[in-house]
Amino acid sequence: MTSNHTDCHYCLQSLRGRKYALREENTYCVTCYDSLFANPCEECKQPIECDSKDLSYKGRHWHERCFKCTKCSRSLVEKPFAAKDEFLLCTECYSDEYSSKCFHCQKTIMPGSRKMEFKGSSWHESCFVCQYCLQPLGTKPLITKDNENYCVPCFEKQFAQHCNSCKKVITSGGVTYHDQPWHKECFVCAGCKTQLSEQKFISKDEYPYCVDCFNKYYAKKCAACQKPVTALGGAKFITFEERQWHGECFNCVKCSVSLVGQGFLARQDDVLCRGCGLA
């Protein structure tokens, strides 16, 4: 402003024909105004004179020419910028220095853009997709395999095991029998349908049987006691001429002495120790 009728409020010199500045309804010559009120520039430390534009951010001030990126020195006037440790940075420099990198494409996730986070890593929203169908995962349930993310339907289609019995997906646990996966609840005795995942079983013709059913349908009977003869649990048994005995039942029919590991004689369907056989 140029004055024709007043004096400087500070030095009292006439402002007639001179430039002046107003502050709180008082007039000051330019020299007094700058010495009293001009803010120091954060960059060059010189006062920002009243005829210069004063740019301020969070209580700090810059000349228009000094308001620039700390790293690349490009002007930030009327441009988006970010502050880090009191330094001003353009969005490109800030992103290169401090922004997250996308786990998939390894490019910077620009400030203000939406990012997805999972297991400590970040993705562009457009990069956070199912590896198989390429559809966005967003907040949908997902499964990770070999550092790749899959939606649940695609993972089940590509990798999940299917039960040999019901053919449905096995999501957890399961039992392997003859190199085939089974749900625990589907792995049952071929005879009585009792679940076998928690108990002993015997295989016959590639089918699993509980001990009771196997003994009932397939186990041979002891020639002495007529009870099933099995080797389950390490039990000993003796075979002679297509007949079987429990170890504890293989005795002389006459004197009942054990014949296990001993010489014996057979007479029709009977077995005798040598003493009884020769008597």
Side-chain angles (χ1 to χ4, degrees):
M1 295 181 181
T2 303
S3 173
N4 294 310
H5 59 274
T6 189
D7 298 331
C8 173
H9 182 73
Y10 186 74
C11 70
L12 303 179
Q13 292 186 21
S14 173
L15 297 176
R16 185 170 298 178
R18 299 170 61 191
K19 290 183 178 180
Y20 70 94
L22 283 172
R23 183 180 176 89
E24 298 177 355
E25 298 184 0
N26 295 317
T27 55
Y28 296 85
C29 66
V30 172
T31 302
C32 289
Y33 183 90
D34 288 342
S35 65
L36 292 172
F37 306 115
N39 294 306
C41 175
E42 288 286 331
E43 176 66 20
C44 69
K45 309 305 179 185
Q46 297 299 312
I48 303 172
E49 300 168 337
C50 64
D51 58 352
S52 300
K53 184 178 286 189
D54 184 334
L55 301 180
S56 65
Y57 174 72
K58 289 188 175 182
R60 296 187 294 158
H61 300 264
W62 290 261
H63 289 105
E64 186 175 17
R65 65 180 181 275
C66 296
F67 193 63
K68 54 190 177 182
C69 174
T70 304
K71 189 172 182 182
C72 70
S73 297
R74 286 184 290 184
S75 174
L76 298 177
V77 177
E78 297 183 356
K79 293 181 180 179
F81 65 89
K84 181 69 175 178
D85 300 329
E86 299 189 356
F87 294 105
L88 301 183
L89 298 164
C90 64
T91 53
E92 290 83 356
C93 289
Y94 182 88
S95 298
D96 290 341
E97 195 75 21
Y98 302 108
S99 292
S100 302
K101 297 292 191 296
C102 176
F103 184 84
H104 177 73
C105 70
Q106 295 302 307
K107 294 181 180 179
T108 300
I109 301 175
M110 299 296 289
S113 62
R114 190 176 181 187
K115 69 177 180 179
M116 310 302 296
E117 295 185 346
F118 179 65
K119 290 187 175 180
S121 298
S122 301
W123 281 261
H124 292 109
E125 186 177 21
S126 59
C127 292
F128 194 59
V129 299
C130 171
Q131 181 66 19
Y132 185 73
C133 68
L134 302 181
Q135 294 301 305
L137 289 170
T139 58
K140 298 177 184 176
L142 60 92
I143 300 174
T144 301
K145 179 178 174 61
D146 299 331
N147 288 328
E148 299 289 358
N149 299 320
Y150 298 84
C151 63
V152 173
C154 286
F155 182 86
E156 291 180 349
K157 181 178 180 181
Q158 290 294 105
F159 304 109
Q161 293 182 319
H162 291 73
C163 176
N164 191 55
S165 176
C166 70
K167 309 306 179 186
K168 294 181 180 179
V169 171
I170 300 173
T171 57
S172 63
V175 175
T176 299
Y177 172 69
H178 281 303
D179 295 326
Q180 296 295 328
W182 306 63
H183 289 113
K184 286 185 177 181
E185 59 271 21
C186 293
F187 189 61
V188 298
C189 171
C192 66
K193 307 305 179 184
T194 301
Q195 287 190 25
L196 298 176
S197 59
E198 301 290 333
Q199 61 176 295
K200 294 179 180 179
F201 64 90
I202 302 173
S203 178
K204 175 67 176 176
D205 299 329
E206 296 189 357
Y207 291 99
Y209 290 86
C210 65
V211 175
D212 289 341
C213 285
F214 181 85
N215 289 340
K216 178 180 178 181
Y217 297 120
Y218 299 107
K220 295 183 178 181
K221 304 298 188 291
C222 175
C225 71
Q226 296 304 306
K227 292 180 180 179
V229 175
T230 69
L232 194 66
K236 294 181 179 180
F237 65 95
I238 291 87
T239 298
F240 175 69
E241 293 184 350
E242 297 185 357
R243 289 183 293 163
Q244 286 81 30
W245 289 260
H246 295 110
E248 64 272 18
C249 293
F250 193 55
N251 302 323
C252 175
V253 296
K254 202 166 184 182
C255 69
S256 300
V257 68
S258 175
L259 300 178
V260 177
Q262 306 296 322
F264 64 91
L265 298 174
R267 184 177 295 166
Q268 296 180 349
D269 291 335
D270 297 329
V271 287
L272 302 103
C273 65
R274 289 182 176 178
C276 293
L278 297 174

